[in-house]
Amino acid sequence: MRNSSRGAVDPFIVMDVMEQARAAEAAGRHIIHMEVGQPSSPAPEAARKALAEAMENDALGYTVALGIPALRARIARLYGEWYDVDLDPNRVVVTPGSSGGFILAFSALFDAGDRVLLGAPGYPSYRQILKALDLNPVEVQTAPENRYQLVPQDISGTDCEGVMVASPGNPTGTMLGKPELSALVDAAQARGASFLSDEIYHGIDYDKKPVTALQVSDDVCVINSFSKYFSMTGWRVGWLVVPEAQIRQVERLAQNLFICAPNASQVAALAAMDAPDELQANLAVYARNRALMMEQLPKAGFDRIAPPDGAFYVYADVSHLTKDSRAFAAEILEKAGVAVTPGLDFDPVRGAGTLRFSYARGTAEIEEGLSRLTAFMAARG
Ligand SMILES: Cc1ncc(COP(=O)(O)O)c(C=O)c1O
């Protein structure tokens, strides 16, 4: 059987780290997980209850391709609650995670060979999904002084049919303010490029509120998910907000690519949206963890870090400690029993000198991880 060249994408290194951590655990070691970007909390109780009830009373067959209407309406209402944006529910498309949303959005907006501008460091699957769809990721090295986000000159100076941003971003957790986001949307529109905004970490923010691209323009594609703030990674449910003119195009693709997002997960997601106490309690844990990370990582020797605006990651420059972040992460796993992610996942150019620490787990685990990292760095000298 032949393999396609489109399928020759790089592995997602964090998944490889997870596998190494699993192997160490299977061999009897206790590992602290600072590699995974997922909450350790379950879906909100209300979500689990709603699903249990639905399983008794409903066949849970296919839903319509764009998602359960009540869920689309509730997501539209969220834009009023969070950003004071009046959103037509018809523009909301429920997807199998934001990962499914990327496939749908990229297929709907781009033709084979189109170039999509991305900032590095960034979430690795953007470029891998683009490649698998015969599209061309064009990665721009973003600058620390721009908080590792794209700037309008990156767009005006590069031939591209699409531009993708993430705010808060992964791995940096930095956010784009309204003027910056607005300038990027203008620059993309000026060159006729589609603008995509990954907003999966909205809700997980600390000192200031994130801005949605929908506050700036209706002619954008927003990608979001129940995975992070709503603590539902494995349920595989997310959403897109698309311009009105794209709805039917996206619907036809969704019908054929996925039929629908998992019905059970849509039922649970709808109930999760009305569980603010539990979700805000999760957020309080991340805030506490963030404070611990910012206080103790520098003391341990990881002092080239900036406070993240959102998400649950700290991206550290470790270029003074190693020239090979993959080997360094393996050494930390081996000697300290802490799994962390090498920056190469997020930035093939500069990532050999960076690491990403996730603080999505419970506070006791983060405390233990920090004390192990401190001891490891002290022993390293
Ligand atoms: C920035 C970003 N976008 C998208 C995803 C994919 O999330 P999901 O497919 O679970 O919605 C992730 C996962 O970590 C992420 O960090």
Side-chain angles (χ1 to χ4, degrees):
M1 203 87 86
R2 279 160 42 84
N3 270 335
S4 73
S5 54
R6 280 181 302 128
V9 298
D10 300 330
F12 197 172
I13 299 172
V14 68
M15 304 306 277
D16 289 348
V17 176
M18 281 168 76
E19 174 51 29
Q20 287 156 12
R22 188 210 55 77
E25 279 166 339
R29 294 198 59 201
H30 179 260
I31 302 297
I32 297 292
H33 291 276
M34 288 187 162
E35 83 284 29
V36 275
Q38 68 172 337
S40 56
S41 47
E45 192 185 351
R48 288 175 275 136
K49 276 199 174 142
L51 177 57
E53 211 168 287
M55 286 186 350
E56 293 304 318
N57 303 315
D58 192 330
L60 292 173
Y62 296 135
T63 72
V64 286
L66 294 180
I68 296 174
L71 178 58
R72 296 172 69 202
R74 182 65 188 87
I75 292 169
R77 189 147 67 78
L78 185 77
Y79 284 82
E81 293 165 1
W82 280 8
Y83 317 101
D84 204 20
V85 165
D86 185 15
L87 179 64
D88 176 358
N90 290 318
R91 292 176 54 198
V92 177
V93 179
V94 181
T95 59
S98 70
S99 303
F102 296 137
I103 296 172
L104 201 50
F106 296 161
S107 306
L109 298 173
F110 304 118
D111 284 314
D114 279 357
R115 291 150 301 186
V116 180
L117 194 68
L118 308 168
Y123 180 58
S125 299
Y126 301 146
R127 67 173 183 278
Q128 312 301 2
I129 297 173
L130 287 166
K131 281 191 206 162
L133 292 173
D134 260 347
L135 301 166
N136 290 321
V138 180
E139 278 183 306
V140 172
Q141 293 290 307
T142 57
E145 54 275 23
N146 297 323
R147 311 215 62 230
Y148 293 109
Q149 293 282 357
L150 291 175
V151 291
Q153 299 86 291
D154 296 326
I155 301 175
S156 49
T158 318
D159 280 340
C160 60
E161 284 72 35
V163 176
M164 171 110 193
V165 300
S167 169
N170 175 8
T172 59
T174 64
M175 292 195 316
L176 288 161
K178 196 167 178 187
E180 290 82 17
L181 187 57
S182 188
L184 291 174
V185 171
D186 287 350
Q189 290 176 351
R191 68 170 320 129
S194 300
F195 192 87
L196 298 99
S197 177
D198 182 347
E199 302 182 355
I200 187 171
Y201 291 103
H202 282 214
I204 307 180
D205 45 79
Y206 304 103
D207 302 325
K208 48 187 175 186
K209 289 275 139 219
V211 178
T212 171
L214 295 169
Q215 281 167 273
V216 166
S217 171
D218 275 325
D219 199 21
V220 291
C221 177
V222 165
I223 299 145
N224 208 323
S225 174
F226 287 91
S227 288
K228 310 291 174 166
Y229 176 68
F230 296 98
S231 195
M232 295 178 65
T233 46
W235 298 70
R236 312 311 304 134
V237 58
W239 73 87
L240 298 178
V241 180
V242 299
E244 204 175 324
Q246 262 76 38
I247 298 171
R248 182 61 186 149
Q249 164 101 337
V250 168
E251 183 175 30
R252 283 187 276 104
L253 282 162
Q255 290 166 341
N256 287 287
L257 285 173
F258 309 117
I259 300 187
C260 63
N263 188 340
S265 302
Q266 295 189 58
V267 168
L270 179 57
M273 296 188 80
D274 288 308
D277 294 349
E278 214 173 315
L279 298 173
Q280 288 303 109
N282 292 344
L283 180 60
V285 172
Y286 306 142
R288 170 92 190 110
N289 293 352
R290 174 179 176 261
L292 288 169
M293 299 286 281
M294 291 319 295
E295 184 196 311
Q296 289 180 33
L297 278 178
K299 286 189 192 155
F302 298 103
D303 49 2
R304 299 188 184 178
I305 57 174
D309 301 318
F312 32 50
Y313 309 112
V314 174
Y315 197 51
D317 177 352
V318 291
S319 56
H320 55 306
L321 302 171
T322 183
K323 295 284 162 267
D324 181 351
S325 58
R326 220 173 171 152
F328 194 36
E331 186 189 340
I332 295 173
L333 181 63
E334 166 63 26
K335 297 195 178 142
V338 180
V340 302
T341 307
L344 282 169
D345 238 355
F346 312 102
D347 186 341
V349 177
R350 291 172 294 181
T354 56
L355 288 180
R356 187 194 73 177
F357 298 90
S358 165
Y359 53 88
R361 314 278 288 201
T363 300
E365 193 169 336
I366 298 303
E367 279 170 339
E368 172 63 19
L370 285 165
S371 91
R372 289 187 190 188
L373 288 171
T374 306
F376 164 78
M377 290 293 278
R380 207 167 180 260

